[in-house]
Structure formats: C-alpha cells, structure tokens
C-alpha cells in the first residue's frame, strides 16, 4: 500500500465497523470501476438466492476489473454497496474482508435498495481506486 494514502477515522465520529471514515489519497491516477454484479464471464448468474456466493462473484469481478486497469485491492479507496437485504450484510462483510486490507479499509457506503437490474441479483458493488 502506498505510504502517502491516509486512512482516517476521527475520534469525534462514531467508531466505524469495517471501513474508514476518510481516505486521503493525494492526486494520482484515479480508477472508477462500475457496479459489478454476480454474473460470470459468460453472463450467467452465480449463486441464485445466496447473497454470500453472489458477493464472492462480485468481488472476483471487481478483482478482474481492477487488474485490467493495472490496479489491485491495495489501491481501492472507496466501495459502494447496493443490497436488497441489509440484514444479511454480515455475509457480505465476511467476503469483503478476504479482499480488502482490514487494518486500513476503504471508505464505504451501504445502501439497501428494493430491486437491482434483475430480480435475482441481490448485490452490486462499485469501486474507486487511486494509483500513484
């Protein structure tokens, strides 16, 4: 992880659980990854009805997308999660923690939605990465 990125959680804000309140990333090359969904390379749904399996496919898709831009999870500074059932976020966090640096996690947003682009899709995640 580049030394010049700062992951901050001011003591004057509530303690975060698995994310940083602020990521200070000096100007560099910014990479925006569109929302990834649990479809495999052939466009087939992975993990019908299973949020954890869908989350794993989403994170694998994000890994591939980051690599295409010459980036990795060490470069990710922001994640946005869109889920249809926020009560199941524990399984998503478990998968996320296999990919992100849990000591310096990216800033994150979690939004519960009534529906994604297909009824069988339970999660979508987008990312922002910064390379020096």
């Amino acid at each position: 992880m580049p030394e010049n990125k700062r992951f901050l959680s001011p003591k004057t804000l509530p303690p975060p659980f698995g994310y940083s309140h602020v990521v200070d990333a000096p100007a560099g090359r910014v990479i925006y990854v569109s929302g990834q969904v649990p479809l495999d390379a052939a466009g087939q749904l992975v993990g019908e009805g299973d949020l954890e399996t869908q989350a794993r496919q989403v994170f694998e898709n994000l890994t591939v997308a980051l690599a295409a831009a010459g980036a990795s999870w060490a470069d990710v500074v922001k994640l946005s999660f869109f889920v249809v059932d926020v009560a199941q976020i524990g399984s998503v966090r478990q998968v996320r923690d296999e990919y992100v640096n849990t000591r310096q996690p990216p800033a994150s947003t979690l939004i519960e939605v009534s529906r994604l682009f297909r009824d069988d899709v339970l999660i979508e995640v987008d990312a922002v990465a910064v390379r020096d």
Side-chain angles (χ1 to χ4, degrees):
M1 171 128 338
E3 297 295 322
N4 57 354
K5 288 181 188 147
R6 296 185 312 144
F7 295 79
L8 309 168
S9 293
K11 295 197 183 308
T12 53
L13 292 174
F17 180 73
Y19 65 92
S20 296
H21 278 293
V22 180
V23 177
D24 177 17
R29 188 166 57 96
V30 180
I31 300 155
Y32 299 92
V33 180
S34 292
Q36 296 298 302
V37 295
L39 302 180
D40 63 16
Q44 300 300 308
L45 179 71
V46 174
E48 185 171 355
D50 182 343
L51 182 58
E52 184 174 339
T53 300
Q54 287 195 14
R56 189 166 309 287
Q57 182 64 46
V58 165
F59 274 81
E60 285 299 313
N61 290 351
L62 286 165
T63 301
V64 170
L66 290 164
S72 72
W73 283 101
D75 302 310
V76 174
V77 297
K78 176 74 165 84
L79 292 171
S80 296
F81 296 83
F82 303 88
V83 297
V84 297
D85 183 4
V86 74
Q88 295 185 50
I89 193 60
S91 60
V92 174
R93 285 181 177 142
Q94 182 179 348
V95 173
R96 175 207 60 199
D97 289 353
E98 295 173 19
Y99 292 84
V100 303
N101 178 344
T102 58
R103 288 178 287 114
Q104 293 182 311
S108 297
T109 300
L110 170 63
I111 302 166
E112 183 177 50
V113 296
S114 61
R115 183 175 188 268
L116 289 161
F117 83 107
R118 284 178 26 179
D119 288 334
D120 54 359
V121 171
L122 306 175
I123 183 171
E124 183 170 340
V125 181
D126 66 32
V128 178
V130 176
R131 298 271 305 157
D132 294 328

